[in-house]
Amino acid sequence: MVCVIIGQVIFYFNTTANSKREIERYKALQLAGRVEKILSNSRGIQKVKLATGETQALGLTAAGQQYLQVGDSVVKAAGSDSVTLYRRFSAYTEVSVFGPSAADDTGLIRRYQIKRP
């Protein structure tokens, strides 16, 4: 019985440490590219294939996952947990910033338009 309890404690701390390492690795990641294909959606993680051929897991809020489309450009600065999506229209480019620091529970921090010349 003691071995089972010790095993559970070791398992808990090991998985918690791995989760923290993954979060820190993602936060340190610098990313920029155009979405070529959306491979999968899962709670909080969206796997995409970029035009560079790289497959990347994006930590997007639910609103960000619903908004993301093939052809959008994705930018994530190193040290940040927010993701910026750029979507081109004929007259403007729409910029949407998603992340956990949003004022409401949607995860949308900011959205604005840049007019094209």
Side-chain angles (χ1 to χ4, degrees):
M1 184 66 170
V2 172
C3 290
V4 171
I5 293 172
I6 291 173
Q8 288 178 337
V9 169
I10 290 171
F11 176 76
Y12 170 78
F13 285 113
N14 190 29
T15 55
T16 302
N18 285 338
S19 294
K20 286 181 183 178
R21 277 193 297 270
E22 284 299 311
I23 291 168
E24 290 304 315
R25 182 194 67 77
Y26 179 75
K27 194 166 186 176
L29 176 72
Q30 182 174 341
L31 177 68
R34 188 177 46 78
V35 176
E36 186 174 279
K37 185 176 184 181
I38 298 173
L39 302 173
S40 67
N41 275 331
S42 135
R43 203 176 237 185
I45 302 293
Q46 193 161 28
K47 230 178 199 179
V48 296
K49 181 178 180 186
L50 300 176
T52 59
E54 177 186 6
T55 298
Q56 186 62 51
L58 300 175
L60 285 172
T61 61
Q65 285 186 343
Q66 290 174 355
Y67 181 81
L68 183 69
Q69 292 180 356
V70 170
D72 289 350
S73 293
V74 179
V75 176
K76 185 198 161 300
S80 173
D81 53 5
S82 64
V83 176
T84 304
L85 302 177
Y86 296 86
R87 182 172 296 162
R88 294 181 98 175
F89 294 95
S90 59
Y92 61 91
T93 299
E94 186 171 81
V95 182
S96 301
V97 183
F98 296 95
S101 59
D104 58 13
D105 61 349
T106 66
L108 176 64
I109 296 173
R110 184 174 171 204
R111 181 172 287 151
Y112 59 95
Q113 296 176 354
I114 301 171
K115 295 203 183 279
R116 297 180 78 185

